[in-house]
Amino acid sequence: MLSVVENGLDPRAAIPVIKKKLVGSVKALQKQYVSLDTVVTSEDEDANTMCSALEAVFIHGLHAKHIRAEAGGKRKKSAHQKPLPQPVFWPLLKAVTHKHIISELEHLTFVNTDVGRCRAWLRLALNDGLMECYLKLLLQEQARLCEYYQPTALLRDAEEGEFLLSFLQGLTSLSFELSYKSAILNEWTLTPLALSGLCPLSELDPLSTSGAELQRKESLDSISHSSGSEDIEVQHSGHKIRRNQKLTASSLSLDTASSSQLSCSLNSDSCLLQENGSKSPDRCEEPMFYDSDLGTANAEDSDRSLQE
């Protein structure tokens, strides 16, 4: 049994839950994609699970002062919708991120909250193959980590940090083209909050009956909804980096407010970035045959009635 506190999992109990989700999703992606010359997109359920688990890594153990009641976006909420906690760590991520990446994320048309920038940053880091390097830099920023995280947080556990670094090396065998420009990123979804212990795991039970709906929400696509309006704009999402550009530690030296310099070297074979194409969400997993089936059923009933 998992020990549960008022707001969700006990901080210590949440760590193995996060690791289990992360390990399971990455292994599933490796099994499916390593032997294929195919990129991983936001349409893949395992990719969405991995993103949720990685988000939970950064959420776990945040100080209460960095958890807002609302994300600050303009999206209208229904009266019966229970607001979810909205942890924010964008200033922390900026300390280890190159200025041109920060500028891009802060000028996205539809991502207009710090929560959205946190979530977009994570997907862009995966697309660029830089998640391991960013994490290594972040773990060196102990003063900043202490400011943002409680002592029991996953990112402040040296042993867990080493595990994450070694485990993320497995991502070098995968190429990602995750969508990161959608307005749906402006607020947290339930899964990473529950995995990190901010929400009870019991709230994930409806997944058994409405899992497809959550997957549709988690699957980030090229269709971006402008906040506070009914207008929809189709975007070609993707980070425009020169195709097959090799990233090295020298080309990624950081000119930020932080004194950290990007000293980790990247495997050049694993850092070949490709342009992201516009991806459609997996909203139509099953063909809609309801009208034709109904028509067939009505015809059969009519024939049966005539015979009787």
Side-chain angles (χ1 to χ4, degrees), residues 227-240:
S227 301
S229 72
E230 298 298 327
D231 298 334
I232 298 177
E233 176 177 332
V234 178
Q235 290 194 152
H236 292 286
S237 63
H239 183 46
K240 300 304 181 185

Side-chain angles (χ1 to χ4, degrees), residues 16 34 85 220 225 228-229 244 254:
V34 165
L220 306 175
H225 299 261
S229 72
N244 293 337
L254 303 177

Side-chain angles (χ1 to χ4, degrees), residues 29 51 56 67 91 95 108 117 135 140 150 177 187 246 255 269 277 284:
L29 290 172
C51 286
I67 301 176
L108 292 176
R117 294 176 189 107
L135 184 61
Q140 295 173 359
Q150 303 170 17
E177 286 187 2
E187 296 184 6
K246 294 187 178 181
D255 182 16
D269 293 336
C284 300

Side-chain angles (χ1 to χ4, degrees), residues 5-21:
V5 294
E6 182 179 358
N7 292 326
L9 283 177
D10 177 87
R12 294 291 186 185
I15 293 178
V17 176
I18 296 172
K19 291 169 65 177
K20 181 179 179 181
K21 282 289 185 181

